[in-house]
Amino acid sequence: GDTSLRADDWITADTPLGWFVAAGDFEVHIYLSEQQIGRLANDAAATFYTHQGQRTANQLALIDRSPNALDTLSSPILADRYGGPIAVEMSSPDDQTLTPQNATFVARFSLDNQDPLVSQLTASAQQWQQIGTGVISTEPVSIASNIFRRVRGILLRELAF
């Protein structure tokens, strides 16, 4: 992932915006920012690429998405202090709780049983962990609707007592 990506940056259509960790049962978690989680359609599909640029999994289908931002990361491999893509903070040096610095949501995807990766993982009794980039198919968003959504969010936050 591009660690220099900031709010309001323009990106190309093929820029990866999420990360995933397999959670067993051929389920994939893609971690998304607050700005991106709302763009997921109920029938969203995704593709996974390793850090070496190899397409590993085709046909990822959306199962669901978290309604709230994560309080903590369950996989240390995702934390920036361990080389992962998600910036975390700790309240003290002895604290092992990995709290994301920014609002981070999870979208759960399943692998199609016909995907070659499923056959490979089924044949191997080993645990498989692979960090890479999830590219999710979404509808394009116009600049006007993006501005409206951000203004509405600011108003809702500021007017809520």
Side-chain angles (χ1 to χ4, degrees), residues 68-106:
N68 302 314
L70 295 174
D71 293 327
T72 59
L73 289 180
S74 59
S75 299
I77 194 169
L78 293 170
D80 61 344
R81 66 185 63 245
Y82 302 114
I86 300 175
V88 296
E89 53 190 33
M90 294 181 166
S91 57
S92 71
D94 297 332
D95 186 10
Q96 296 301 311
T97 305
L98 302 171
T99 305
Q101 287 181 355
N102 300 313
T104 303
F105 293 79
V106 174

Short mmCIF file of all heavy atoms in Angstrom, two decimals, residues 68-106:
data_model
loop_
_atom_site.label_atom_id
_atom_site.label_comp_id
_atom_site.label_asym_id
_atom_site.label_seq_id
_atom_site.Cartn_x
_atom_site.Cartn_y
_atom_site.Cartn_z
N ASN A 68 -18.95 -0.80 12.56
CA ASN A 68 -18.15 0.14 13.35
C ASN A 68 -16.67 -0.03 13.05
O ASN A 68 -16.23 -1.11 12.65
CB ASN A 68 -18.38 -0.10 14.85
CG ASN A 68 -19.84 0.04 15.22
OD1 ASN A 68 -20.51 0.98 14.82
ND2 ASN A 68 -20.34 -0.93 15.99
N ALA A 69 -15.92 1.03 13.32
CA ALA A 69 -14.47 0.95 13.16
C ALA A 69 -13.89 -0.01 14.20
O ALA A 69 -14.47 -0.21 15.26
CB ALA A 69 -13.86 2.34 13.33
N LEU A 70 -12.76 -0.60 13.86
CA LEU A 70 -12.10 -1.53 14.77
C LEU A 70 -11.56 -0.81 16.00
O LEU A 70 -10.99 0.27 15.89
CB LEU A 70 -10.92 -2.20 14.07
CG LEU A 70 -11.23 -3.11 12.89
CD1 LEU A 70 -9.93 -3.56 12.24
CD2 LEU A 70 -12.04 -4.29 13.35
N ASP A 71 -11.72 -1.43 17.16
CA ASP A 71 -11.11 -0.92 18.38
C ASP A 71 -9.65 -1.37 18.46
O ASP A 71 -8.78 -0.61 18.89
CB ASP A 71 -11.85 -1.42 19.62
CG ASP A 71 -13.25 -0.85 19.72
OD1 ASP A 71 -13.46 0.30 19.30
OD2 ASP A 71 -14.15 -1.56 20.21
N THR A 72 -9.40 -2.61 18.05
CA THR A 72 -8.05 -3.17 18.09
C THR A 72 -7.85 -4.07 16.87
O THR A 72 -8.82 -4.58 16.30
CB THR A 72 -7.80 -4.02 19.35
OG1 THR A 72 -8.74 -5.08 19.38
CG2 THR A 72 -7.92 -3.18 20.60
N LEU A 73 -6.59 -4.28 16.51
CA LEU A 73 -6.25 -5.23 15.45
C LEU A 73 -6.05 -6.60 16.07
O LEU A 73 -5.38 -6.73 17.10
CB LEU A 73 -4.96 -4.82 14.75
CG LEU A 73 -5.00 -3.61 13.85
CD1 LEU A 73 -3.62 -3.36 13.25
CD2 LEU A 73 -6.02 -3.78 12.75
N SER A 74 -6.61 -7.61 15.45
CA SER A 74 -6.43 -8.97 15.98
C SER A 74 -5.17 -9.63 15.44
O SER A 74 -4.67 -10.58 16.03
CB SER A 74 -7.65 -9.82 15.64
OG SER A 74 -7.83 -9.85 14.23
N SER A 75 -4.63 -9.12 14.34
CA SER A 75 -3.43 -9.70 13.74
C SER A 75 -2.28 -8.72 13.81
O SER A 75 -2.28 -7.71 13.10
CB SER A 75 -3.69 -10.07 12.27
OG SER A 75 -4.71 -11.01 12.18
N PRO A 76 -1.26 -8.98 14.64
CA PRO A 76 -0.13 -8.06 14.76
C PRO A 76 0.59 -7.83 13.43
O PRO A 76 1.18 -6.76 13.24
CB PRO A 76 0.80 -8.76 15.76
CG PRO A 76 -0.08 -9.66 16.53
CD PRO A 76 -1.16 -10.09 15.58
N ILE A 77 0.52 -8.79 12.52
CA ILE A 77 1.21 -8.66 11.24
C ILE A 77 0.71 -7.44 10.45
O ILE A 77 1.39 -6.93 9.59
CB ILE A 77 1.09 -9.96 10.42
CG1 ILE A 77 2.06 -9.96 9.26
CG2 ILE A 77 -0.34 -10.15 9.92
CD1 ILE A 77 2.17 -11.30 8.57
N LEU A 78 -0.49 -6.95 10.78
CA LEU A 78 -1.05 -5.79 10.09
C LEU A 78 -0.56 -4.46 10.65
O LEU A 78 -0.69 -3.43 10.00
CB LEU A 78 -2.58 -5.83 10.17
CG LEU A 78 -3.25 -6.96 9.43
CD1 LEU A 78 -4.72 -7.04 9.78
CD2 LEU A 78 -3.07 -6.78 7.93
N ALA A 79 -0.02 -4.46 11.86
CA ALA A 79 0.40 -3.23 12.52
C ALA A 79 1.69 -2.67 11.92
O ALA A 79 2.61 -3.43 11.61
CB ALA A 79 0.58 -3.48 14.01
N ASP A 80 1.75 -1.35 11.78
CA ASP A 80 2.93 -0.73 11.19
C ASP A 80 4.20 -1.01 11.97
O ASP A 80 5.26 -1.17 11.40
CB ASP A 80 2.72 0.78 11.04
CG ASP A 80 2.48 1.51 12.36
OD1 ASP A 80 2.17 0.85 13.38
OD2 ASP A 80 2.58 2.75 12.37
N ARG A 81 4.11 -1.16 13.28
CA ARG A 81 5.31 -1.43 14.08
C ARG A 81 5.90 -2.80 13.80
O ARG A 81 7.04 -3.08 14.14
CB ARG A 81 5.07 -1.23 15.56
CG ARG A 81 4.11 -2.19 16.20
CD ARG A 81 3.84 -1.84 17.67
NE ARG A 81 3.21 -0.54 17.79
CZ ARG A 81 3.77 0.53 18.38
NH1 ARG A 81 4.93 0.42 18.95
NH2 ARG A 81 3.15 1.67 18.41
N TYR A 82 5.13 -3.69 13.16
CA TYR A 82 5.61 -5.02 12.78
C TYR A 82 5.72 -5.16 11.27
O TYR A 82 5.72 -6.26 10.74
CB TYR A 82 4.69 -6.10 13.36
CG TYR A 82 4.58 -6.03 14.86
CD1 TYR A 82 3.37 -5.71 15.46
CD2 TYR A 82 5.69 -6.25 15.66
CE1 TYR A 82 3.26 -5.63 16.84
CE2 TYR A 82 5.60 -6.17 17.04
CZ TYR A 82 4.39 -5.86 17.63
OH TYR A 82 4.29 -5.76 18.99
N GLY A 83 5.75 -4.03 10.57
CA GLY A 83 5.92 -4.03 9.13
C GLY A 83 4.63 -4.05 8.34
O GLY A 83 4.65 -4.15 7.12
N GLY A 84 3.49 -3.96 8.99
CA GLY A 84 2.20 -3.99 8.32
C GLY A 84 1.77 -2.61 7.84
O GLY A 84 2.43 -1.61 8.10
N PRO A 85 0.63 -2.53 7.17
CA PRO A 85 0.18 -1.29 6.56
C PRO A 85 -0.68 -0.38 7.44
O PRO A 85 -0.95 0.75 7.07
CB PRO A 85 -0.65 -1.79 5.38
CG PRO A 85 -1.21 -3.08 5.88
CD PRO A 85 -0.14 -3.68 6.72
N ILE A 86 -1.13 -0.85 8.62
CA ILE A 86 -2.06 -0.06 9.43
C ILE A 86 -1.33 0.60 10.59
O ILE A 86 -0.73 -0.09 11.43
CB ILE A 86 -3.22 -0.94 9.95
CG1 ILE A 86 -3.98 -1.55 8.76
CG2 ILE A 86 -4.16 -0.13 10.84
CD1 ILE A 86 -5.07 -2.53 9.15
N ALA A 87 -1.39 1.93 10.64
CA ALA A 87 -0.74 2.68 11.72
C ALA A 87 -1.50 2.43 13.02
O ALA A 87 -2.72 2.55 13.06
CB ALA A 87 -0.72 4.16 11.39
N VAL A 88 -0.76 2.06 14.06
CA VAL A 88 -1.37 1.78 15.37
C VAL A 88 -0.71 2.63 16.44
O VAL A 88 0.39 3.15 16.26
CB VAL A 88 -1.27 0.29 15.76
CG1 VAL A 88 -2.05 -0.58 14.79
CG2 VAL A 88 0.17 -0.16 15.85
N GLU A 89 -1.41 2.75 17.56
CA GLU A 89 -0.85 3.45 18.71
C GLU A 89 -1.01 2.57 19.93
O GLU A 89 -1.89 1.72 19.99
CB GLU A 89 -1.55 4.79 18.91
CG GLU A 89 -3.05 4.70 19.00
CD GLU A 89 -3.72 6.06 18.96
OE1 GLU A 89 -3.21 6.97 18.29
OE2 GLU A 89 -4.76 6.19 19.60
N MET A 90 -0.12 2.79 20.89
CA MET A 90 -0.18 2.07 22.16
C MET A 90 -0.18 3.10 23.26
O MET A 90 0.54 4.09 23.19
CB MET A 90 1.00 1.12 22.30
CG MET A 90 1.00 -0.01 21.31
SD MET A 90 2.42 -1.06 21.60
CE MET A 90 1.99 -2.48 20.66
N SER A 91 -0.98 2.86 24.30
CA SER A 91 -1.09 3.84 25.38
C SER A 91 0.16 3.88 26.25
O SER A 91 0.45 4.89 26.86
CB SER A 91 -2.34 3.58 26.22
OG SER A 91 -2.31 2.28 26.74
N SER A 92 0.89 2.77 26.31
CA SER A 92 2.13 2.72 27.08
C SER A 92 3.07 1.71 26.43
O SER A 92 2.63 0.85 25.67
CB SER A 92 1.84 2.33 28.54
OG SER A 92 1.47 0.97 28.61
N PRO A 93 4.37 1.78 26.74
CA PRO A 93 5.31 0.82 26.14
C PRO A 93 5.00 -0.63 26.50
O PRO A 93 5.31 -1.53 25.74
CB PRO A 93 6.67 1.24 26.72
CG PRO A 93 6.50 2.65 27.15
CD PRO A 93 5.05 2.80 27.53
N ASP A 94 4.39 -0.86 27.67
CA ASP A 94 4.06 -2.23 28.08
C ASP A 94 2.75 -2.72 27.50
O ASP A 94 2.44 -3.91 27.57
CB ASP A 94 3.99 -2.31 29.61
CG ASP A 94 5.32 -1.98 30.25
OD1 ASP A 94 6.36 -2.22 29.60
OD2 ASP A 94 5.32 -1.49 31.39
N ASP A 95 1.97 -1.81 26.93
CA ASP A 95 0.65 -2.16 26.38
C ASP A 95 0.83 -2.90 25.06
O ASP A 95 1.52 -2.44 24.17
CB ASP A 95 -0.16 -0.89 26.17
CG ASP A 95 -1.59 -1.17 25.75
OD1 ASP A 95 -2.01 -2.34 25.81
OD2 ASP A 95 -2.27 -0.21 25.36
N GLN A 96 0.23 -4.06 24.94
CA GLN A 96 0.31 -4.85 23.71
C GLN A 96 -0.94 -4.71 22.84
O GLN A 96 -1.05 -5.36 21.81
CB GLN A 96 0.54 -6.33 24.06
CG GLN A 96 1.86 -6.58 24.75
CD GLN A 96 3.05 -6.13 23.91
OE1 GLN A 96 3.14 -6.45 22.72
NE2 GLN A 96 3.95 -5.36 24.49
N THR A 97 -1.87 -3.85 23.24
CA THR A 97 -3.09 -3.63 22.46
C THR A 97 -2.75 -2.79 21.24
O THR A 97 -2.14 -1.74 21.35
CB THR A 97 -4.15 -2.90 23.32
OG1 THR A 97 -4.37 -3.66 24.50
CG2 THR A 97 -5.44 -2.74 22.56
N LEU A 98 -3.13 -3.26 20.08
CA LEU A 98 -2.86 -2.56 18.82
C LEU A 98 -4.12 -1.81 18.39
O LEU A 98 -5.04 -2.40 17.84
CB LEU A 98 -2.44 -3.57 17.75
CG LEU A 98 -1.21 -4.41 18.10
CD1 LEU A 98 -1.02 -5.52 17.07
CD2 LEU A 98 0.02 -3.55 18.20
N THR A 99 -4.14 -0.51 18.65
CA THR A 99 -5.30 0.33 18.34
C THR A 99 -5.00 1.13 17.08
O THR A 99 -4.04 1.91 17.05
CB THR A 99 -5.58 1.30 19.51
OG1 THR A 99 -5.74 0.53 20.70
CG2 THR A 99 -6.83 2.10 19.25
N PRO A 100 -5.81 0.97 16.01
CA PRO A 100 -5.58 1.75 14.78
C PRO A 100 -5.66 3.25 15.06
O PRO A 100 -6.53 3.71 15.81
CB PRO A 100 -6.70 1.31 13.85
CG PRO A 100 -7.12 -0.03 14.36
CD PRO A 100 -6.92 0.03 15.85
N GLN A 101 -4.74 4.02 14.47
CA GLN A 101 -4.74 5.48 14.65
C GLN A 101 -5.90 6.12 13.92
O GLN A 101 -6.44 7.12 14.37
CB GLN A 101 -3.43 6.08 14.14
CG GLN A 101 -2.26 5.79 15.04
CD GLN A 101 -0.98 6.41 14.52
OE1 GLN A 101 -0.93 6.99 13.44
NE2 GLN A 101 0.08 6.29 15.30
N ASN A 102 -6.28 5.57 12.77
CA ASN A 102 -7.39 6.11 11.98
C ASN A 102 -8.53 5.11 11.98
O ASN A 102 -8.33 3.92 12.22
CB ASN A 102 -6.93 6.38 10.54
CG ASN A 102 -5.79 7.38 10.49
OD1 ASN A 102 -5.84 8.42 11.14
ND2 ASN A 102 -4.74 7.05 9.76
N ALA A 103 -9.73 5.61 11.68
CA ALA A 103 -10.90 4.72 11.61
C ALA A 103 -10.65 3.68 10.53
O ALA A 103 -10.45 4.00 9.36
CB ALA A 103 -12.14 5.53 11.30
N THR A 104 -10.63 2.42 10.94
CA THR A 104 -10.37 1.30 10.03
C THR A 104 -11.51 0.30 10.15
O THR A 104 -11.88 -0.09 11.24
CB THR A 104 -9.03 0.62 10.39
OG1 THR A 104 -7.98 1.59 10.35
CG2 THR A 104 -8.71 -0.51 9.44
N PHE A 105 -12.06 -0.07 9.01
CA PHE A 105 -13.19 -1.00 8.96
C PHE A 105 -12.76 -2.28 8.27
O PHE A 105 -11.78 -2.30 7.53
CB PHE A 105 -14.35 -0.37 8.17
CG PHE A 105 -14.97 0.80 8.87
CD1 PHE A 105 -14.38 2.05 8.83
CD2 PHE A 105 -16.16 0.65 9.56
CE1 PHE A 105 -14.95 3.13 9.48
CE2 PHE A 105 -16.75 1.73 10.21
CZ PHE A 105 -16.13 2.97 10.17
N VAL A 106 -13.52 -3.35 8.49
CA VAL A 106 -13.22 -4.64 7.88
C VAL A 106 -14.36 -5.02 6.95
O VAL A 106 -15.52 -4.96 7.33
CB VAL A 106 -13.05 -5.74 8.95
CG1 VAL A 106 -12.90 -7.10 8.30
CG2 VAL A 106 -11.87 -5.45 9.83
#
